[in-house]
Amino acid sequence: MALPIENYALISDCHTAALVGIDGSIDWLCLPRYDSPSTFGALLGDEGNGRWMIAPADPNAHARREYVGNTFVLRTVWSTATGVVEVTDFMPHGDRHADLVRRVHGVSGHVNMTTDLRIRFAYSSALPWVRQVRGDDGRVSLLAVAGPDALVFRGPELHSKGKTHSHGRDFTVGAGETVDTVMTWYPAHRPAPALIDVDKALADTCEWWENWSSNSTHEGPYKAAVVRSLLVLRALTHEDTGGIVAAATTSLPESFGGQRNWDYRYVWLRDASLTLSVLVKHGFVTEANDWRSWLLRAIAGDPNDLQIMYGIEGERWLPERELDSLPGYQGASPVRVGNGAVDQYQADVIGEVMVGLHEAREGGVEQSQDAWALERALLGFLEENLKRPDSGIWEIRGPAQYFTHSRVMVWAAFDRGVKAIEQFGLRGPVATWRRIRDEVRAEIEEKGFNTELGTYTQVFGGSEVDASLLQLAQVGYCEPDAPRMLGTVSQLEKTLLRDGLVMRYRTESGVDGMPAGEHPFLACSFWLVEQYARTGRTEDGAALMKRLLALRNDVGLLSEEYDVEGERQVGNTPQALSHLALVRAADALN
């Protein structure tokens, strides 16, 4: 059975990412991209679905781990009755190969180690042909091939364990001794790449991450948490394309044992736009340029073909399908690949894109005529679909409706179009955009506010609230301390707080067309911190922030939700939206 979600740490080369368990097992890795089929899939099943474990043979060994400085080089120190050993896991950055390195170094005494390797390509549906190959240098490598995928393992010679279709080795590491194993993925029709210099790769990778993180402009009591969150956002950004995936995993459940299992390894325009805003505000202009270039490529063409999400290279065809080769995280099924939300109309998305691009301009990103032409085309599309109901920010699988948050983001889209002309001298039909902006605001104030309850509502004419309404002040629709906004916060506190953390909405209302039941949503809780901070409730904001930071795992990572009763993280991990909301909350408290 897979470990609790919070017991996994991330390592990344900015092309893909692996999850390393506190038990020394790599239980999730897709090669060569974040959204490729899994090679190690034990996270969504058990060891029979693929893993790579290196750990002391002593079952009573104690592990303590941390990242090396501001990097994604993971160091785990194991203490046993006979000695102490250090395992360093990392994915070399910049070598243009899909490498993963596991270095075992003896610190004191001696430690008996064990290895268990189970390779299962194609979401555990393809058992590879594995053989030993001796090179010209006399060293033995392990080769595994199935269809288009090939792996080569170089290090201690691994032996077959027979019917389990696994390979392993027991070895002893003494003080001062170092044992390296390097795994490299490559296309099966090509020769295996040359062995890397591990010492150089480790030094170069640490230097790259440290140099990148040093560009952060954040100061204050939350600096360490902010820098780690910014690093997570970078680790989820594909280096070649600039696409920012929402999380490194698929199908980690929002409700344990339930059906709310989605694939987050794609680029949502909403999440990526919010990430863009955070990165720009913290001095990462290069990443903003890269994402804008990705956006231009991804949605080039007819605005009527706009999607709310794309593949890492801008792929449009992301059909949702269910896999029977993986049983699901601790039995939560189905396991899904692709995402049916790709076919939804979500009116808020264009608003988030417009807000993100406007903040990029304000942050010093060089203006581009191509980008502005795209923004004009997006506003033209939004104008043509002005009266169209949508599926909302939470990708509701029930009937399309007029979600108040979506209508506010429509307002924000035209507002930023107006501001682009007023502040930056760009050209466009400003009078038309002003008129639409004002008409949308009037509609929201009439239909999206419940005068009896004194709150903005989830949908026009409704009585339920939604945590997304906390974004009204964030995008400048109203002041944080406006009476209607304060009334909304009050109603949200009455109905959506569970043990002090914020639910997205009441699933019991049936609005999303799914069985009821999920947990507090971490990004929404950080939004409430931001709201508190901007309305003078500093003590409330600081107290909630302290609690939220305590929910991070031992290496500072957050998933999508948190199970208060079970005291465990829930949903896909690490979640970009949770981490970017953490950064915003810290900025607000500062």
Side-chain angles (χ1 to χ4, degrees):
M1 182 177 292
L3 298 173
I5 293 168
E6 62 272 15
N7 282 356
Y8 289 99
L10 183 85
I11 58 175
S12 173
D13 61 359
C14 298
H15 291 265
T16 187
L19 291 187
V20 186
I22 192 70
D23 61 351
S25 181
I26 296 177
D27 286 351
W28 185 251
L29 175 61
C30 301
L31 292 167
R33 299 193 334 181
Y34 306 98
D35 59 349
S36 297
S38 64
T39 296
F40 301 134
L43 181 70
L44 300 180
D46 59 27
E47 65 268 18
N49 299 113
R51 72 160 182 180
W52 182 15
M53 188 269 290
I54 297 180
D58 181 0
N60 296 316
H62 173 72
R64 176 179 54 82
R65 62 185 182 173
E66 63 182 3
Y67 287 120
V68 177
N70 292 322
T71 76
F72 275 101
V73 174
L74 181 68
R75 177 188 294 137
T76 304
V77 178
W78 292 92
S79 300
T80 73
T82 61
V84 177
V85 69
E86 182 180 274
V87 178
T88 300
D89 294 316
F90 71 101
M91 302 185 76
H93 178 272
D95 68 354
R96 311 306 299 173
H97 292 305
D99 296 319
L100 195 158
V101 179
R102 310 200 76 178
R103 164 169 282 187
V104 182
H105 177 72
V107 177
S108 64
H110 68 274
V111 179
N112 296 324
M113 303 292 291
T114 187
T115 300
D116 183 56
L117 174 66
R118 304 179 188 224
I119 306 163
R120 304 291 187 268
F121 290 121
Y123 298 115
S124 192
S125 68
L127 193 66
W129 171 38
V130 182
R131 66 192 191 279
Q132 303 278 6
V133 177
R134 189 174 298 277
D136 295 337
D137 58 1
R139 294 181 179 179
V140 174
S141 299
L142 189 75
L143 294 183
V145 178
D149 299 299
L151 290 175
V152 57
F153 288 80
R154 298 178 172 107
E157 186 174 341
L158 301 178
H159 306 289
S160 173
K161 294 183 179 180
K163 293 182 180 180
T164 61
H165 300 291
S166 63
H167 288 73
R169 180 186 181 92
D170 295 332
F171 60 99
T172 300
V173 177
E177 295 180 346
T178 298
V179 178
D180 291 333
T181 305
V182 180
M183 181 194 82
T184 302
W185 176 93
Y186 61 99
H189 62 279
R190 295 179 180 174
L195 176 64
I196 64 172
D197 181 329
V198 174
D199 289 331
K200 184 177 186 305
L202 178 58
D204 290 348
T205 299
C206 287
E207 181 181 14
W208 186 86
W209 283 112
E210 290 284 4
N211 286 342
W212 187 88
S213 63
S214 68
N215 291 315
S216 171
T217 58
H218 183 92
E219 296 293 338
Y222 307 108
K223 182 175 181 177
V226 166
V227 171
R228 178 51 57 189
S229 291
L230 291 170
L231 283 163
V232 170
L233 298 179
R234 185 64 187 89
L236 296 176
T237 302
H238 192 265
E239 185 167 48
D240 291 342
T241 69
I244 305 168
V245 298
T249 57
T250 178
S251 301
L252 289 182
E254 296 173 9
S255 178
F256 292 116
Q259 300 177 24
R260 295 172 180 265
N261 316 316
W262 317 113
D263 193 348
Y264 279 10
R265 299 170 300 152
Y266 307 110
V267 186
W268 270 255
L269 296 187
R270 176 190 305 109
D271 295 39
S273 298
L274 294 170
T275 300
L276 169 69
S277 297
V278 164
L279 290 175
V280 167
K281 289 178 180 177
H282 287 266
F284 297 98
V285 176
T286 298
E287 285 70 23
N289 270 316
D290 290 346
W291 184 81
R292 189 176 65 180
S293 296
W294 177 92
L295 180 69
L296 288 169
R297 296 192 306 272
I299 64 178
D302 189 344
N304 288 298
D305 296 330
L306 178 73
Q307 297 181 180
I308 57 99
M309 57 184 284
Y310 295 85
I312 291 170
E313 294 183 5
E315 297 94 338
R316 294 170 177 262
W317 194 65
L318 306 173
E320 183 173 296
R321 57 202 188 278
E322 298 179 1
L323 303 180
D324 57 13
S325 56
L326 291 169
Y329 177 81
Q330 297 185 1
S333 62
V335 170
R336 293 183 172 95
V337 171
N339 199 301
V342 70
D343 296 322
Q344 289 184 349
Y345 174 62
Q346 298 173 15
D348 68 295
V349 165
I350 293 177
E352 273 109 6
V353 170
M354 292 294 295
V355 169
L357 291 176
H358 184 71
E359 290 182 354
R361 276 192 293 269
E362 291 183 323
V365 175
E366 184 178 354
Q367 292 192 50
S368 162
Q369 288 301 315
D370 289 340
W372 178 239
L374 170 66
E375 291 176 70
R376 288 190 58 170
L378 290 177
L379 290 178
F381 169 79
L382 199 55
E383 183 178 357
E384 292 176 2
N385 291 272
L386 201 56
K387 300 301 182 181
R388 183 179 174 185
D390 77 313
S391 298
I393 183 175
W394 306 128
E395 303 179 346
I396 300 298
R397 298 203 172 198
Q401 301 191 57
Y402 290 108
F403 289 91
T404 301
H405 170 266
S406 294
R407 304 307 292 171
V408 168
M409 294 312 299
V410 170
W411 172 91
F414 287 101
D415 178 73
R416 295 322 190 265
V418 171
K419 283 184 168 62
I421 293 172
E422 294 177 342
Q423 296 179 15
F424 294 93
L426 298 174
R427 301 182 65 180
V430 66
T432 298
W433 292 348
R434 284 197 192 103
R435 175 183 56 79
I436 295 173
R437 179 186 64 178
D438 295 343
E439 289 174 353
V440 171
R441 172 180 283 278
E443 176 192 46
I444 293 167
E445 294 302 309
E446 177 188 355
K447 300 177 181 179
F449 187 82
N450 187 310
T451 55
E452 293 182 5
L453 296 175
T455 179
Y456 288 106
T457 54
Q458 183 180 43
V459 298
F460 279 6
S463 59
E464 298 280 344
V465 291
D466 188 306
S468 64
L469 298 170
L470 290 168
Q471 290 198 312
L472 270 60
Q474 293 180 10
V475 300
Y477 176 80
C478 62
E479 291 299 321
D481 58 357
R484 288 193 167 195
M485 189 66 203
L486 294 179
T488 302
V489 172
S490 177
Q491 187 68 9
L492 183 150
E493 290 172 322
K494 292 175 184 176
T495 61
L496 294 186
L497 286 186
R498 178 181 294 179
D499 294 320
L501 301 180
V502 183
M503 307 291 294
R504 293 188 297 175
Y505 52 87
R506 289 194 330 109
T507 57
E508 297 83 354
S509 70
V511 68
D512 61 10
M514 296 288 292
E518 67 170 12
H519 300 280
F521 203 79
L522 292 172
C524 299
S525 300
F526 283 116
W527 292 346
L528 185 58
V529 172
E530 183 175 348
Q531 171 66 22
Y532 283 159
R534 296 177 68 189
T535 53
R537 296 176 61 177
T538 308
E539 291 185 5
D540 291 336
L544 180 53
M545 186 71 167
K546 181 179 180 180
R547 185 176 182 199
L548 288 166
L549 293 181
L551 303 183
R552 297 174 300 159
N553 72 358
D554 57 326
V555 290
L557 304 184
L558 289 168
S559 65
E560 184 178 22
E561 301 178 5
Y562 191 79
D563 176 1
V564 178
E565 295 178 357
E567 297 184 341
R568 58 185 303 192
Q569 293 188 12
V570 183
N572 285 306
T573 194
Q575 181 82 356
L577 189 59
S578 298
H579 283 279
L580 69 89
L582 183 158
V583 175
R584 287 187 60 106
D587 289 343
L589 285 171
N590 264 6

